Amino acid sequence: MASLLVPQICSKKQNSCFCHPQPGCLCMVWSTQPENGRGRQIPGLFWLSWEPQSHPTYRPKDTQPQARYWKGVDFAPKDHLTPAPGLLSLSCLLEPLDLGGGDEDENEAVGQPGGPRGDAVSASPCSALLARASSLEDLVLKEASTAVSTPEAPKPLPQEQWAIPVDATSPVGDFYRLIPQPAFQWAFEPDVFQKQAILHLERHDSVFVAAHTSAGKTVVAEYAIALAQKHMTRTIYTSPIKALSNQKFRDFRNTFGDVGLLTGDVQLHPEASCLIMTTEILRSMLYSGSDVIRDLEWVIFDEVHYINDAERGVVWEEVLIMLPDHVSIILLSATVPNALEFADWIGRLKRRQIYVISTVTRPVPLEHYLFTGNSPKTQGELFLLLDSRGAFHTKGYYAAVEAKKERMSKHAQTFGAKQPTYQGGPAQDRGVYLSLLASLRTRAQLPVVVFTFSRGRCDEQASGLTSLDLTTSSEKSEIHLFLQRCLARLRGSDRQLPQVLHMSELLHRGLGVHHSGILPILKEIVEMLFSRGLVKVLFATETFAMGVNMPARTVVFDSMRKHDGSTFRDLLPGEYVQMAGRAGRRGLDPTGTVILLCKGRVPEMADLHRMMMGKPSQLQSQFRLTYTMILNLLRVDALRVEDMMKRSFSEFPSRKDSKAHEQTLAELTKRLGALEEPDVTGQLVDLPEYYSWGEELTETQHVIQRHIMESVNGLKSLSAGRVVVVKNQEHHNALGVILQVSSNSTSRVFTTLVLCDKPLSKDPQDTGLATPEVPYPDDLVGFKLFLPEGPCDHTVIKLQPGDIAAITTKVLRVNGEKILEDFSKRQQPKFKKDPPLAAVTTAVQELLRLAQAHPAGPPTLDPVNDLQLKDVSVVEGGLRARKLEELIRGAQCVHSPRFPAQYLKLRERMQIQKEMERLRFLLSDQSLLLLPEYHQRVEVLRTLGYVDEAGTVKLAGRVACAMSSHELLLTELMFDNALSTLRPEEIAALLSGLVCQSPGDAGDQLPNTLKQGIERVRAVAKRIGEVQVACGLNQTVEEFVGELNFGLVEVVYEWARGMPFSELAGLSGTPEGLIVRCIQRLAEMCRSLRGAARLVGEPVLGAKMETAATLLRRDIVFAASLYTQ
């Protein structure tokens, strides 16, 4: 051992060796090896072991990550290398020796974060294995004696955690040390949550960033785009709406240059490294296997809470499921309560961790006020309801209510405290807004966004403010020049459109309107002028709150109620927060102001509290099966439709435990193999049947009893005095009498006096009888009633419907209130020993007499004859129960002395098998919620000839894949030659019925060909609807045909024939913006049909569709977006 202390220089002059190399010897070598071939020498410890007739082998000793002077090397802790058998690890031997005098810096560094991930250094495994010793020899002996040890038992699998919450409040002090050369730099210092996200992007982690509107989530997207450009890879940025895609294209192009845009009707620079697109375009790319996906590094999903959209939410899920594993995902969302659950779903899907960075902090805090009206007393007064710290002020609420009351006449007040409903019209609205805006203007609280939940009201309110002028002459000049420049690209008649002239007049006065009925080019003009601060008051619907960051000083809510397509309701907390978040401009305003107008009565305090402080809506799956999805997946081998369903967010709660289920299944299989087979010979030959009869009888009785408890007559019979059989955890077939029934109809509770044994000990398990271990026929057939073994006692308990095993025909006369009062009194310590009242004693004796007279149970109410239950399952269940009772009574196995032991063995085996079947079912496709609907839809496709019996997609199916919507109807129209005989403008007019969103009749002025065409389209739709109903789908024929709206047929027909847009407005009452949207979607559909016609070899129809698309694409309808210029 002395040679350990004498260094020996090896012959290569590169290593300092501490011992003479001998066979079987271990020595430590100080080596200077080149680092990764870059020519820089780094020191390191190596083990050198010598074996006879062999060259020395070098193994690096694990290196501590605290060596701060070794830069540029990954010092993440590696697994500790264990020496080969027969070799002793010198570091393990030296570690327990108390050598003292270590380097202070190193000692301090142990356990400190090392490297960017902040992982703590794990303690050496040696210290756990070896105790302290006084000499090296002792250790060697101990190590050698314990060298051969028994293998440890396998540890259970750790719980998988895919969603990792990141503390967005903990500061990132060493941000610039960890990222000395960021891929992108801003003119401002990023917030903590942004730095946290950037750190994870640098490590190529996927992140979910949930933050309020205007908090700065786009910073994360910008950094990912910059990283991809640095790595020479690609980024895709997806957004839910085309307008948002256009805005982001302009912003990112100004920042990064190399940016492309792909939407339904525009393709700009598709070869760029950063592509902006709608989620539908990305889905099409994934289905068609586009080359873009190959070198993709990041996909950024903006406005992820849009997944809750009933119509389009499924697209997000499809894309997330189909994205390749090499792509990292960035999810940007408003604050949602179940961000971790959603991230966990994606993490399990992709088998990679998702870091969830959620912050509720607002860069500009908000103050929420009520405004009660324009009376001289309150016209300048705002009542604070919710301050910037999030405290709710009831004082402000009551002050607003009082102010509102003062405005009423004395006559109105005589009717009590009820406040009047709002009866005002446009004139009163104008007064309220003039008063409010004058007040805000004097306080320098413009610009303001007024959210109004109706397109018509937006226009009315803006048009009513004719006397309001909020711009200076220089601003008017700037607005005029901007309008001239933007409208110059329109043809002459389009510049004279009523909407264009009206909007120009409003904009000159600093007012703007923004909703879906406005022409797209005008909406963009309004947005651009608003972002420049030239629009002072903007009347908008809630779509303005979606997406691009255009904050105002103040946000005003015209009302807190909206129509959501089916009914009027209050705003949801998530909707309110999204819109209110537009208040407050970062760096300009100390706080943002949110004002709720109380034109009529002041809303209820509880409603306001829920809307302002309630939790936002959870992310919920909107996954549904579509024919396009099924056909696309049947064409590819990589993913089955069942796999798509299995991976959907809707199946996540039942599928997330799949790994645990597999493990449990393996353990149960092992346990089953180790069990002893029960003996079923001789007298025990019918033991398996006896077990299954008993199980089936119990299940049948439960089903019948559940029907009884859910029926009106069954609940009527359970009145005070009714004798019932009680069966729950504490009581097994004990008689009881109902004393009281709760009045709450949703969850009925029956307060019941029940027989029980007198408790001899305080052990709760001694009350009542346990369920018999081995059931004999008397236990299974009828109700073998509980009889007290010793002195009889009673208790009063509250029973749920499921605790009542049977309703008897007996009714006792009881004074329920008296018994309850007496029983509760005797629960008090000082009255505990008092004798019960005569009413209690009588009831108990009656129950005991009944139990003794009918040990197998008193007669019960017959569900069919007495309770008049005519349900098939009840009638058949009763017949089956009687048959099973006969079989059980005739069983031979119960007479064998070995019956109890063999029954227990069989039951254990059967229970394990039942659990295994349950787990196999949960892991199989059969447990999928949408599987029945999938089979129904495939049957529809088979009936229509889109797929064959083997599931192979035929020509019609391939055509349907090319359609983005109404795939079956379009394909059927094409294969029926319903379109080939028509002219291009007639085809376009007919197809408008499939894309038009505004309901209405086609009108009587149409040419006969179009009238006949509409009837033919409806007939084809009816035929498809009938096939769907025949295959079991629950959509009626009327609902399917009702999806068609032919209200714009005449408008589209005249537009395709060349009529100027200015004349179109007179043909229909539909807002111009909706007409434009319909024609744009129609042009996309024509292009889809053109491709489908070429696929089936129909050049004539293909040429007609090409012509139709060209006829539609002109003038203001297809004016290029200002954001792309």
Side-chain angles (χ1 to χ4, degrees):
M1 300 302 278
S3 60
L4 275 168
L5 305 175
V6 182
Q8 166 75 29
I9 303 301
C10 288
S11 56
K12 297 203 175 180
K13 305 292 183 200
Q14 274 190 319
N15 305 319
S16 300
C17 182
F18 287 85
C19 69
H20 295 291
Q22 296 295 330
C25 169
L26 178 75
C27 68
M28 187 163 63
V29 177
W30 185 264
S31 168
T32 50
Q33 299 293 332
E35 178 204 357
N36 300 332
R38 292 185 191 140
R40 194 159 132 245
Q41 303 296 314
I42 64 158
L45 283 171
F46 285 79
W47 294 124
L48 177 61
S49 71
W50 283 85
E51 300 296 336
Q53 292 100 32
S54 76
H55 296 289
T57 57
Y58 287 86
R59 283 185 292 154
K61 179 186 182 295
D62 58 294
T63 314
Q64 294 294 343
Q66 291 82 17
R68 290 185 292 275
Y69 45 86
W70 299 353
K71 295 208 172 173
V73 187
D74 180 13
F75 292 119
K78 304 287 187 291
D79 293 339
H80 285 266
L81 288 158
T82 51
L87 294 180
L88 301 179
S89 163
L90 190 58
S91 63
C92 281
L93 295 179
L94 291 175
E95 192 167 89
L97 285 175
D98 198 357
L99 300 174
D103 183 359
E104 285 180 21
D105 286 349
E106 285 184 21
N107 290 342
E108 281 174 13
V110 175
Q112 295 302 317
R117 286 181 190 266
D119 295 320
V121 181
S122 55
S124 169
C126 311
S127 52
L129 294 170
L130 295 175
R132 231 171 245 296
S134 55
S135 71
L136 196 55
E137 282 86 345
D138 291 351
L139 278 175
V140 172
L141 290 169
K142 276 186 187 175
E143 178 90 353
S145 66
T146 57
V148 182
S149 59
T150 54
E152 286 183 20
K155 291 178 183 174
L157 284 171
Q159 184 69 36
E160 288 181 320
Q161 188 185 6
W162 297 108
I164 312 292
V166 176
D167 183 7
T169 57
S170 64
V172 190
D174 53 354
F175 179 73
Y176 292 104
R177 186 180 67 76
L178 295 170
I179 309 177
Q181 292 179 318
F184 190 78
Q185 288 181 317
W186 295 268
F188 55 87
E189 180 70 11
D191 290 340
V192 173
F193 85 92
Q194 293 165 341
K195 287 180 178 177
Q196 297 274 20
I198 289 165
L199 278 177
H200 285 288
L201 295 189
E202 280 283 351
R203 298 176 201 149
H204 213 268
D205 293 333
S206 292
V207 294
F208 185 140
V209 181
H212 282 304
T213 309
S214 309
K217 297 186 288 284
T218 308
V219 165
V220 182
E222 286 174 341
Y223 198 83
I225 295 167
L227 262 183
Q229 290 191 342
K230 184 179 173 183
H231 298 160
M232 296 185 183
T233 54
R234 275 186 150 172
T235 312
I236 285 179
Y237 177 100
T238 75
S239 74
I241 42 183
K242 195 167 79 172
L244 180 56
S245 296
N246 291 339
Q247 290 164 350
K248 288 294 182 190
F249 171 71
R250 181 197 61 173
D251 296 349
F252 289 158
R253 187 182 57 178
N254 292 343
T255 309
F256 299 104
D258 187 24
V259 177
L261 176 67
L262 301 177
T263 58
D265 56 347
V266 177
Q267 285 206 341
L268 296 172
H269 315 299
E271 72 294 336
S273 67
C274 173
L275 290 174
I276 317 283
M277 60 182 72
T278 52
T279 323
E280 279 81 357
I281 302 286
L282 178 54
R283 177 179 64 173
S284 304
M285 281 185 167
L286 289 164
Y287 275 133
S288 61
S290 167
D291 285 346
V292 172
I293 308 298
R294 209 173 38 215
D295 43 355
L296 188 60
E297 184 176 7
W298 303 100
V299 172
I300 302 158
F301 293 91
D302 201 359
E303 308 288 340
V304 170
H305 47 273
Y306 214 89
I307 201 167
N308 286 353
D309 183 74
E311 187 63 32
R312 295 171 60 209
V314 60
V315 182
W316 269 254
E317 287 193 55
E318 281 183 77
V319 169
L320 284 164
I321 291 167
M322 291 192 296
L323 271 180
D325 292 344
H326 73 269
V327 179
S328 292
I329 297 167
I330 297 170
L331 303 148
L332 307 177
S333 163
T335 49
V336 285
N338 61 335
L340 277 174
E341 183 196 5
F342 189 75
D344 193 30
W345 166 62
I346 296 171
R348 278 171 204 280
L349 208 60
K350 301 296 168 198
R351 311 303 295 171
R352 67 191 296 173
Q353 290 180 327
I354 311 284
Y355 290 85
V356 180
I357 300 159
S358 193
T359 176
V360 291
T361 311
R362 286 188 177 280
V364 182
L366 301 181
E367 290 177 339
H368 304 252
Y369 295 89
L370 294 176
F371 181 76
T372 55
N374 58 337
S375 67
K377 208 168 187 182
T378 62
Q379 66 179 4
E381 193 170 356
L382 296 173
F383 300 95
L384 180 65
L385 198 61
L386 191 68
D387 66 22
S388 56
R389 294 189 304 281
F392 196 85
H393 291 253
T394 52
K395 187 178 166 188
Y397 176 80
Y398 290 120
V401 171
E402 285 305 312
K404 201 73 187 169
K405 275 184 182 174
E406 279 179 32
R407 294 196 62 212
M408 298 178 211
S409 67
K410 285 183 180 177
H411 171 74
Q413 286 180 43
T414 59
F415 290 95
K418 192 177 178 194
Q419 299 165 32
T421 52
Y422 176 61
Q423 299 294 333
Q428 284 89 334
D429 265 9
R430 184 165 62 245
V432 170
Y433 277 109
L434 285 170
S435 163
L436 174 64
L437 294 172
S439 166
L440 291 175
R441 194 178 184 184
T442 53
R443 297 180 193 186
Q445 289 193 305
L446 301 180
V448 56
V449 177
V450 181
F451 284 111
T452 305
F453 305 111
S454 149
R455 293 191 297 260
R457 291 267 298 288
C458 270
D459 294 332
E460 265 175 34
Q461 285 159 358
S463 305
L465 303 176
T466 47
S467 61
L468 195 64
D469 191 344
L470 300 169
T471 52
T472 62
S473 55
S474 63
E475 285 174 334
K476 281 182 169 56
S477 170
E478 193 179 339
I479 292 166
H480 180 73
L481 289 171
F482 184 78
L483 277 169
Q484 290 290 93
R485 199 164 64 248
C486 293
L487 298 175
R489 67 189 66 216
L490 301 180
R491 64 185 267 182
S493 61
D494 287 345
R495 279 181 233 156
Q496 301 305 311
L497 285 172
Q499 197 181 81
V500 173
L501 296 173
H502 177 55
M503 187 69 79
S504 300
E505 191 270 329
L506 286 176
L507 289 169
H508 276 96
R509 292 189 286 116
L511 304 177
V513 180
H514 189 287
H515 57 70
S516 58
I518 302 291
L519 291 163
I521 192 166
L522 289 182
K523 275 204 289 191
E524 291 180 350
I525 288 170
V526 169
E527 287 162 8
M528 288 178 169
L529 288 174
F530 183 80
S531 61
R532 291 185 185 191
L534 295 171
V535 171
K536 311 295 183 182
V537 179
L538 177 63
F539 292 92
T541 52
E542 67 181 303
T543 48
F544 184 75
M546 170 69 75
V548 88
N549 189 9
M550 287 194 181
R553 175 76 179 84
T554 305
V555 161
V556 173
F557 286 89
D558 180 67
S559 161
M560 64 177 277
R561 292 181 66 74
K562 64 173 266 191
H563 193 272
D564 61 1
S566 55
T567 177
F568 274 101
R569 59 166 173 81
D570 287 348
L571 288 177
L572 298 172
E575 294 168 336
Y576 178 81
V577 165
Q578 176 92 0
M579 287 180 266
R582 291 285 165 226
R585 297 162 301 174
R586 194 168 188 170
L588 294 174
D589 307 322
T591 57
T593 306
V594 183
I595 299 169
L596 178 63
L597 297 190
C598 305
K599 295 179 185 174
R601 63 185 184 83
V602 179
E604 295 295 328
M605 193 196 293
D607 295 339
L608 289 169
H609 193 278
R610 182 170 57 249
M611 182 180 77
M612 292 178 176
M613 302 185 72
K615 274 191 171 180
S617 305
Q618 293 206 330
L619 294 177
Q620 289 178 323
S621 175
Q622 300 296 336
F623 187 82
R624 65 180 199 283
L625 291 169
T626 61
Y627 292 113
T628 310
M629 182 201 296
I630 293 169
L631 289 166
N632 272 310
L633 290 174
L634 287 175
R635 291 177 68 189
V636 297
D637 298 329
L639 192 68
R640 299 179 310 142
V641 184
E642 290 92 338
D643 295 330
M644 180 72 92
M645 290 189 276
K646 210 179 279 186
R647 295 174 191 186
S648 70
F649 189 40
S650 58
E651 291 286 346
F652 172 63
S654 56
R655 294 276 156 184
K656 66 178 178 183
D657 299 323
S658 296
K659 278 268 186 290
H661 289 339
E662 286 168 9
Q663 202 176 350
T664 312
L665 194 59
E667 287 167 8
L668 289 175
T669 311
K670 205 172 174 183
R671 235 176 91 192
L672 189 66
L675 283 183
E676 190 185 338
E677 287 274 1
D679 181 8
V680 288
T681 57
Q683 226 175 355
L684 294 166
V685 73
D686 59 354
L687 180 62
E689 286 82 5
Y690 179 80
Y691 174 82
S692 61
W693 294 334
E695 290 290 299
E696 191 183 346
L697 179 60
T698 309
E699 180 57 34
T700 307
Q701 287 169 342
H702 279 164
V703 170
I704 293 172
Q705 191 60 22
R706 193 170 67 243
H707 276 91
I708 290 171
M709 299 309 287
E710 287 169 0
S711 71
V712 177
N713 289 346
L715 291 171
K716 265 187 197 170
S717 66
L718 290 167
S719 53
R722 174 71 66 182
V723 176
V724 293
V725 179
V726 179
K727 190 173 185 179
N728 57 18
Q729 285 184 328
E730 292 82 30
H731 304 275
H732 182 73
N733 290 350
L735 278 187
V737 60
I738 294 175
L739 305 174
Q740 201 179 62
V741 183
S742 76
S743 54
N744 184 1
S745 58
T746 51
S747 56
R748 286 181 184 260
V749 176
F750 307 95
T751 309
T752 310
L753 176 94
V754 185
L755 291 184
C756 64
D757 269 322
K758 204 173 191 80
L760 302 173
S761 69
K762 291 193 178 176
D763 188 350
Q765 291 182 336
D766 290 349
T767 57
L769 279 176
T771 312
E773 270 294 302
V774 179
Y776 281 85
D778 288 350
D779 300 313
L780 293 169
V781 177
F783 297 95
K784 189 178 179 184
L785 288 184
F786 155 76
L787 278 168
E789 291 176 359
C792 181
D793 199 3
H794 65 277
T795 183
V796 173
I797 55 172
K798 290 187 185 298
L799 297 179
Q800 299 297 325
D803 298 333
I804 297 172
I807 306 171
T808 72
T809 54
K810 303 287 179 188
V811 179
L812 303 182
R813 289 186 66 182
V814 291
N815 187 333
E817 297 220 350
K818 222 173 190 180
I819 294 174
L820 284 172
E821 203 176 297
D822 175 63
F823 184 78
S824 58
K825 177 185 157 190
R826 285 185 288 114
Q827 299 310 299
Q828 297 170 26
K830 63 177 179 178
F831 301 116
K832 211 154 187 79
K833 296 192 177 175
D834 283 15
L837 283 180
V840 180
T841 317
T842 310
V844 171
Q845 284 172 349
E846 280 288 315
L847 289 174
L848 190 59
R849 191 180 58 73
L850 261 175
Q852 287 165 342
H854 305 280
T860 58
L861 291 176
D862 184 88
V864 179
N865 299 327
D866 298 330
L867 298 174
Q868 303 298 309
L869 294 186
K870 305 298 184 189
D871 193 279
V872 177
S873 58
V874 175
V875 177
E876 287 182 352
L879 295 170
R880 180 64 182 155
R882 283 194 281 280
K883 174 75 176 165
L884 288 167
E885 285 172 359
E886 282 176 32
L887 291 168
I888 286 168
R889 282 200 188 96
Q892 292 299 308
C893 56
V894 293
H895 304 302
S896 167
R898 293 177 297 136
F899 169 69
Q902 298 307 315
Y903 182 88
L904 290 175
K905 280 183 189 174
L906 178 72
R907 184 167 68 187
E908 187 183 5
R909 175 173 282 276
M910 298 303 278
Q911 283 174 347
I912 289 175
Q913 284 178 347
K914 188 178 178 182
E915 179 62 11
M916 285 169 69
E917 275 173 31
R918 187 185 75 84
L919 292 173
R920 282 198 190 103
F921 173 74
L922 288 175
L923 290 167
S924 73
D925 294 341
Q926 301 309 310
S927 64
L928 293 167
L929 298 171
L930 290 172
L931 193 71
E933 189 194 333
Y934 167 55
H935 291 314
Q936 289 159 358
R937 286 188 182 272
V938 169
E939 192 53 43
V940 171
L941 294 171
R942 207 172 275 137
T943 308
L944 293 172
Y946 288 47
V947 297
D948 62 17
E949 288 301 317
T952 308
V953 179
K954 294 161 80 172
L955 178 63
R958 281 166 45 215
V959 169
C961 282
M963 311 297 177
S964 55
S965 63
H966 293 284
E967 52 279 357
L968 296 190
L969 183 53
L970 284 169
T971 309
E972 289 300 296
L973 287 170
M974 210 171 133
F975 277 79
D976 282 3
N977 285 327
L979 304 175
S980 306
T981 56
L982 301 172
R983 297 200 306 276
E985 57 269 29
E986 291 170 342
I987 297 174
L990 273 186
L991 295 180
S992 71
L994 281 68
V995 294
C996 172
Q997 290 175 319
S998 49
D1001 292 325
D1004 300 326
Q1005 309 300 317
L1006 292 177
N1008 281 333
T1009 49
L1010 283 181
K1011 286 180 181 174
Q1012 290 164 5
I1014 288 171
E1015 289 310 310
R1016 187 161 182 185
V1017 171
R1018 284 197 171 122
V1020 173
K1022 188 180 175 191
R1023 179 162 59 82
I1024 296 169
E1026 285 165 353
V1027 171
Q1028 289 192 146
V1029 170
C1031 292
L1033 284 169
N1034 60 7
Q1035 188 181 29
T1036 64
V1037 178
E1038 291 73 24
E1039 284 171 347
F1040 186 74
V1041 177
E1043 289 175 0
L1044 306 174
N1045 290 314
F1046 292 100
L1048 289 181
V1049 170
E1050 188 182 2
V1051 170
V1052 173
Y1053 180 61
E1054 295 299 343
W1055 175 254
R1057 291 175 68 196
M1059 182 184 276
F1061 196 85
S1062 53
E1063 294 175 32
L1064 279 188
L1067 296 176
S1068 162
T1070 308
E1072 291 91 328
L1074 295 181
I1075 293 174
V1076 169
R1077 182 79 193 105
C1078 171
I1079 296 173
Q1080 287 175 342
R1081 291 178 66 188
L1082 190 54
E1084 286 178 38
M1085 186 175 274
C1086 289
R1087 286 215 309 276
S1088 301
L1089 272 167
R1090 180 194 64 191
R1094 288 175 180 170
L1095 187 69
V1096 292
E1098 281 266 7
V1100 177
L1101 181 61
K1104 283 184 178 180
M1105 298 319 301
E1106 179 77 55
T1107 309
T1110 310
L1111 290 173
L1112 294 173
R1113 295 178 65 87
R1114 64 182 175 86
D1115 300 351
I1116 195 167
V1117 174
F1118 282 87
S1121 166
L1122 299 176
Y1123 289 111
T1124 62
Q1125 300 307 304

